Amino acid sequence: MASDKPFISVFPDDSDLEDRTAVVHLADLRRSSMPTRPDRHVLVRMDASHVGQVLSLEGDEYLLGRHPSCQVVLTDDGVSRKHARIRRDGDGFVLEDLQSANGTFVHGKRIEHQLLADGDVFQLGPTVLFRYTFTDSSQERMLQQLYEASVKDALTGAYNREHFDERLKMEVAYARRHDTIVSLVMFDLDHFKQVNDAYGHPAGDLVLIETSRRVASGLRTEDVFARYGGEEFAVILRGIDLAGAAAVGDRLRLHIAAGPVPTDAGAVAVSASVGVASLSCCDEPATTTLVAIADRRLYLAKRGGRNRVISTG
C-alpha cells in the first residue's frame, strides 16, 4: 500500500542549502548527536528550488512522475507521467524505471531496476535528483526542522518570499506547458502601521501570527501561502480560475476579519484588502505580469475603501 505522506525535510550537506537554513535549537542538536540505530529510509531532493525536501519511505511502494495519481508528483517536463517506482524489498528499497522516455540513472548509469544503497544518488530525466539515505529518527527530525526553517517565515509560519518566488515560477511554467489554470491572491492588512504605532510591535507581531493562522485554516493543502513582505501576503491557487480565486479571496478576507486579535495591549480589529489575478488576465503568461496585476488590484481595493476584494481593473 503506497503512502500519501507529503514531502517534509532537508539534506544538510548540500552547500546551497546551508546558506538557507536557520539555527536548530541546542537541545535538538544534543539529541541528534546521541548514537541511535538507523531505522528510517528517506529520499532527499537535491535539485533547484526543491533542494532539501524529503520523502520519508514509510509505505511499501511509491510512483514518481508527472501524473497526479503518483505518490511523488514531479512538475518537470523531462519526467514521464509515470516515470519510476520505488518499492520495498526486504530491509531496503528497489528503484525501477517504468519505461520512461528520458531514463532513470543511479550515479550516472542508466538502470532498469536497482537495489538502493545508503548514499545512492539517482536521477529522473535530465534534471530531477534524489539521494537515498538510511538514517535514524533524531536525524530525520532535525532535517525536517532545518528544511522548515529554510522555506518558512520565522514569525508567521507561512512560506517565505524566496520560496514563494520559486514556486510561482514553477506553477506558471507548468500551467503554460499543460494549458491549465493558476491564480494568485495578494492581500495587505489595512492600517497596519497604525496598529504598531498604537499597540506596539509585539502586538503587531501577534496580529501577523493570528492572521496567518486564520488564512491557513481556509486553504487546501496544495495551495501555497506565503508572507510576501511586511504585512503583505500571497496565495498561489493551482487549478482555480479568476472567479474561483475571487471567491477564495473573499473567504480569506472574512476569516481575517472574523474577530479582534487579543494582545497584551488590548484587542486589535483586523481587516485586509485583497487583489486577485489569473493567468487568463495576462497578455503574456509570466510571473512578473501575474504579480503586477494582482498587486495593482490590491491597491485598487485599498483606494476603494479597504476590506474588500478586487478582481478586475
Side-chain angles (χ1 to χ4, degrees):
M1 185 77 179
S3 170
D4 59 356
K5 291 194 69 174
F7 274 104
I8 51 170
S9 196
V10 68
F11 177 58
D13 295 327
D14 191 287
S15 59
D16 291 335
L17 179 62
E18 289 176 354
D19 294 336
R20 299 167 53 199
T21 54
V23 176
V24 177
H25 292 301
L26 180 59
D28 293 321
L29 288 173
R30 286 173 176 163
R31 283 196 296 270
S32 69
S33 66
M34 296 173 63
T36 57
R37 183 177 178 179
D39 60 354
R40 303 297 175 94
H41 303 266
V42 296
L43 298 182
V44 186
R45 190 79 181 263
M46 297 178 64
D47 58 279
S49 61
H50 295 285
V51 62
Q53 288 183 315
V54 146
L55 172 67
S56 298
L57 298 176
E58 297 179 356
D60 293 327
E61 181 177 297
Y62 298 82
L63 289 177
L64 299 87
R66 289 190 291 108
H67 196 274
S69 65
C70 293
Q71 284 74 42
V72 184
V73 178
L74 304 166
T75 57
D76 187 286
D77 270 349
V79 173
S80 297
R81 290 170 64 80
K82 293 185 178 179
H83 193 106
R85 174 190 291 117
I86 291 178
R87 60 175 176 83
R88 190 179 294 275
D89 186 342
D91 294 330
F93 282 85
V94 170
L95 173 66
E96 298 178 355
D97 183 75
L98 299 178
Q99 298 182 328
S100 64
N102 293 319
T104 299
F105 305 82
V106 177
H107 294 299
K109 180 181 178 181
R110 188 161 186 166
I111 59 100
E112 293 183 4
H113 58 85
Q114 182 166 321
L115 180 66
L116 293 172
D118 182 31
D120 276 351
V121 174
F122 67 87
Q123 180 174 330
L124 307 181
T127 59
V128 175
L129 288 170
F130 288 95
R131 176 162 149 172
Y132 169 74
T133 301
F134 188 46
T135 187
D136 58 66
S137 59
S138 62
Q139 285 289 329
E140 184 186 32
R141 183 171 58 250
M142 183 183 71
L143 300 181
Q144 291 170 358
Q145 291 173 338
L146 284 169
Y147 177 66
E148 289 295 311
S150 74
V151 299
K152 295 290 185 74
D153 174 62
L155 177 66
T156 64
Y159 285 113
N160 58 33
R161 173 69 179 273
E162 180 183 9
H163 185 75
F164 167 82
D165 288 342
E166 293 294 337
R167 285 294 301 272
L168 186 61
K169 289 177 186 175
M170 290 169 47
E171 295 294 342
V172 169
Y174 183 87
R176 292 179 64 180
R177 289 194 303 266
H178 301 283
D179 195 26
T180 58
I181 303 167
V182 65
S183 295
L184 179 63
V185 173
M186 299 188 72
F187 66 89
D188 189 282
L189 297 186
D190 297 327
H191 303 299
F192 187 72
K193 184 178 183 303
Q194 294 179 18
V195 172
N196 282 330
D197 291 344
Y199 296 89
H201 287 278
D205 287 349
L206 289 176
V207 168
L208 293 172
I209 293 167
E210 176 60 15
T211 294
S212 297
R213 188 196 66 78
R214 293 178 184 182
V215 169
S217 70
L219 294 173
R220 306 171 300 174
T221 55
E222 63 265 37
D223 298 330
V224 180
F225 171 47
R227 186 179 181 188
Y228 195 73
E231 66 272 22
E232 189 171 0
F233 295 83
V235 183
I236 304 170
L237 302 171
R238 177 189 282 189
I240 296 181
D241 62 13
L242 182 63
V248 171
D250 198 51
R251 185 173 72 244
L252 298 181
R253 180 187 65 83
L254 293 173
H255 281 325
I256 292 167
V261 177
T263 74
D264 290 342
V268 181
V270 185
S271 67
S273 300
V274 184
V276 179
S278 178
L279 278 187
S280 62
C281 306
C282 305
D283 294 332
E284 290 292 331
T287 57
T288 52
T289 307
L290 185 61
V291 169
I293 294 172
D295 200 49
R296 182 176 73 240
R297 291 172 178 173
L298 186 161
Y299 282 96
L300 286 174
K302 283 190 171 295
R303 288 197 293 269
R306 293 183 168 83
N307 193 22
R308 64 194 62 213
V309 178
I310 297 292
S311 58
T312 60

